[in-house]
Amino acid sequence: MRPYARTGRGCRTSGGRPRGVGRGRAMIARRLLLGAGLAAPFVARAQGFPDRPIRYVSPFPPGATNDNVSRVMTRALGPRLGVPVVVENKAGAGGAVGARLVAEAKPDGYTLLNASAGNLTIAPHLSAVGYDPLRDLVPIASAGEAYSLVAVHPSVPVQTLPELIAFARRQPGFLNYSSAGIGSAGHLRGALLADEGRFEAVHVPFPGSAPAANSVVAGDCHLIIDPIAAPHVQSGRLRALATLGPDRWGAFPDLPTAAELGIGRTWPGSGWFGLFAPAGTPEPVVTRLNRDFNDSLEEAEVAAALRRFGLKPEPISPAELGQRVAADHAAIGASLRRLRIA
């Protein structure tokens, strides 16, 4: 039998080219033309972006710090974009529910995520969240680094962070701390504080930072590490022991940072809030959103509001935000494994 004598779809015939090659090339050409035809209107829509309301997903409940930041930014972005920008609260799983919703949304710029650092750098290490923060979401802009307060209920007999550590060591397992949920920044920081201070503490997760803070105000929990504690400290309902952040928090200039007290200097990552879209969102849309978001941060009223919620406004590029997410994701993952949380 001569080689290639058998014929059939995709097989050679003797002395000739593979059968079906011409048909295959024609099919490929048709697909390319069809793809170009489908892409053209999508590109045109991206160039005309936006032309309808935008969903701005806050993955925490109303009253949480993430929600507060979302509402400040949507009020600023709406007039700049010329369309309504509407906050949608999709809480659950330490912010993972809302993050997954956005990761699975159509990549057209009309569904955005106001992510807290924990949604993308902590939660994915703790459970199957249904999204890859480094592949399924595209970074757009950052509202800035977030300060936090280490605060306790007034019944806890301590005035400083070193006193808290000494108190907790004397009563192993007595101290508990609340957070905005498993995988939140408050969860990780509480675990890091207990690890560095060499004491035991019980983590009590809540569906958001507002109820977590209320639990400490009520005396049901002892400790919280979250910017949401600020108004409760200012009203005297909680006692602040230290701040976490890049420097001293302007709202509490006399309060030392944990680093000044020799605590938390090597903790991985930092708190931040950032705007993200589904992977595949057109570059012109990302560029437009980044520009208007950063311009909004320059408004005195917007910057003042963000500072009240514990942020240090920081205009950065999508690439810079992406680098921050990747670095924090890796460093925090290593810490969670060391702490045997992940």
Side-chain angles (χ1 to χ4, degrees), residues 140-151:
I140 295 175
S142 172
E145 287 195 68
Y147 294 94
S148 277
L149 282 174
V150 183

Side-chain angles (χ1 to χ4, degrees), residues 30-45:
R30 283 197 296 271
R31 288 173 181 169
L32 290 172
L33 288 171
L34 179 60
L38 291 173
F42 191 72
V43 171
R45 286 197 298 272

